Amino acid sequence: MSQFAESERPAIFPVCLVIDVSGSMSGGPMAAMNTALPAMQRAILDDPTTGEIARIAVVTFSDSAGCVLPLSDMAHAQMPALSPQGGTNFAEGFRVAREALVDGIGGLGRGARYHRPVVFFLSDGQHNAGQSWKDDFDRLRSREDKYGAEVVSFGFGQANREVIAQVSTQHAFFATDMDPAVAVKEILHTVLLSIKTTSGSFRAGGAAGLSVPQSTGLTPLPVLSN
């Protein structure tokens, strides 16, 4: 049966936040993240259209990765408190993000309809693990996979702009000349607007798909065709 089988329920919009929690996120950036995530939840709950169809998962990564919030209705979720740890392994973030989407979408129930998942990837550093991130990224975004996701990437701090552009499918951004804590707030504000705008379009029957509003504080990066 297709994932787009008929159902009276509206199609779900699966979203996964993939957040760098390496040691460089200590202090202001991590504090800003822990303030912004609950604020995002409240904003989604205050918007009935978004709250009805958006489901949010949170994956954190450093040397390893974990799903700290399974794909959830924000009305019944407890946003996690994040803490900094270890190095920076993009591959682990991508691998666990796909697992979170597969598990979360599978848990929606037989015949549940859903839109193409979207992953919002945030990092302030550079991949420093021995393994390449490319295979796990390709698996995450594969168009041949019914769980294949669009990936929107955000870089700040010491992140490599070229790599941030590579780990995206349509949209990539860099917070230029911005304090890392301010960058976190600006990025998550943009993520929230994207979730709300895209949800509204889906709920109204729009076929445009993912929308990422432009932020004056974030510089768009040229995304190479992969």
Side-chain angles (χ1 to χ4, degrees), residues 83-106:
S83 58
Q85 50 191 292
T88 307
N89 188 337
F90 286 9
E92 279 290 283
F94 298 141
R95 180 184 65 80
V96 175
R98 184 178 184 279
E99 290 179 355
L101 290 172
V102 171
D103 292 346
I105 291 170

Side-chain angles (χ1 to χ4, degrees), residues 2 13 24 26-27 32-33 37 55 69 92 94 98 103 109 114 121 129 135 138 146 150-151 169 192 201 207 210 213:
S2 165
F13 175 30
S24 57
S26 297
M33 191 73 70
L37 287 175
R55 299 292 181 269
L69 179 70
E92 279 290 283
F94 298 141
R98 184 178 184 279
D103 292 346
Y114 60 92
F121 178 83
D135 287 346
D138 286 343
K146 67 179 182 178
E150 296 282 7
V151 182
T169 53
L192 172 63
S201 175
L210 174 65

Side-chain angles (χ1 to χ4, degrees), residues 43-179:
I44 290 173
L45 292 177
D46 286 342
D47 180 352
T49 296
T50 303
E52 181 180 25
I53 71 168
R55 299 292 181 269
I56 313 296
V58 178
V59 166
T60 59
F61 71 95
S62 54
D63 295 306
S64 59
C67 180
V68 295
L69 179 70
L71 198 69
S72 301
D73 183 334
M74 288 292 93
H76 308 290
Q78 178 67 46
M79 277 296 184
L82 309 185
S83 58
Q85 50 191 292
T88 307
N89 188 337
F90 286 9
E92 279 290 283
F94 298 141
R95 180 184 65 80
V96 175
R98 184 178 184 279
E99 290 179 355
L101 290 172
V102 171
D103 292 346
I105 291 170
L108 294 176
R110 186 175 181 179
R113 299 178 302 132
Y114 60 92
H115 300 283
R116 189 178 188 201
V118 174
V119 167
F120 293 100
F121 178 83
L122 293 70
S123 179
D124 74 331
Q126 301 184 35
H127 176 75
N128 55 25
Q131 68 189 114
S132 170
W133 51 262
K134 293 183 178 180
D135 287 346
D136 288 289
F137 176 70
D138 286 343
R139 193 171 298 115
L140 174 64
R141 57 94 184 239
S142 174
R143 286 277 187 178
E144 298 176 359
D145 186 338
K146 67 179 182 178
Y147 303 107
E150 296 282 7
V151 182
V152 181
S153 61
F154 297 89
F156 59 105
Q158 300 302 309
N160 183 300
R161 292 179 183 229
E162 182 177 344
V163 175
I164 292 298
Q166 290 174 356
V167 295
S168 62
T169 53
Q170 293 187 59
H171 304 278
F173 302 90
F174 200 91
T176 305
D177 299 326
M178 189 180 294
D179 177 83

Side-chain angles (χ1 to χ4, degrees), residues 197-211:
T197 303
T198 304
S199 295
S201 175
F202 283 149
R203 196 66 184 93
L210 174 65
S211 172

